[in-house]
Amino acid sequence: MTVPVIHRDTATELFFDSTARGELLIRRCAGCGAHAAPQSTACPGCQNPATTWAAAAGTGTVVAWTAVHGRPGDGAPASEAVSALIELTEGPWLYAPLRNLGPGERPWAGMSVVVAFERPEGGEAIPVFRPAV
């Protein structure tokens, strides 16, 4: 299954500038320093709306996951797309595709992952995660 095509807007411009460079940005509270997911509009701890962009380490662990199975066709096996809820090392959670699983390999809660980026034709580079080696 393919990655959806995502287009930037004014609210996501800096985030997608960073993904194009191979960097994952998250929010950091200007008041208490807590980290938040990229789409956050306020600090999850102190509710301060003043946040800045900060580079994330790009590492985390799987919290939960799901697999979406397609239909087999013309003798080909059914396709499968795996998405996971990732807890970043800095604390925020992101929902993203999970790639590079071996044949028959399933993710598990606590699995260490690292960010990579995919750029579907006509869209922005988006973060995907792969098992850490």
Side-chain angles (χ1 to χ4, degrees):
M1 293 187 175
T2 60
V3 173
V5 174
I6 297 174
H7 299 286
R8 70 176 61 211
D9 59 20
T10 55
T12 60
E13 185 174 20
L14 292 174
F15 178 78
F16 287 124
D17 284 348
S18 75
T19 60
R21 295 188 307 268
E23 180 181 37
L24 178 63
L25 292 183
I26 56 175
R27 298 289 188 162
R28 184 174 176 102
C29 178
C32 72
H35 290 95
Q39 70 275 16
S40 296
T41 58
C43 174
C46 69
Q47 302 306 307
N48 184 347
T51 61
T52 59
W53 288 108
T59 56
T61 57
V62 171
V63 174
W65 61 276
T66 187
V68 178
H69 302 275
R71 289 192 160 145
D74 296 330
S79 60
E80 179 179 270
V82 178
S83 292
L85 185 59
I86 307 294
E87 182 176 7
L88 297 176
T89 301
E90 295 82 5
W93 290 12
L94 295 181
Y95 188 70
L98 189 57
R99 303 284 194 244
N100 287 28
L101 296 171
E105 182 180 10
R106 293 282 180 238
W108 63 90
M111 176 185 211
S112 295
V113 293
V114 63
V115 74
F117 298 91
E118 291 182 4
R119 185 180 199 121
E121 189 168 332
E124 301 294 337
I126 65 164
V128 299
F129 285 83
R130 297 181 173 156
V133 178

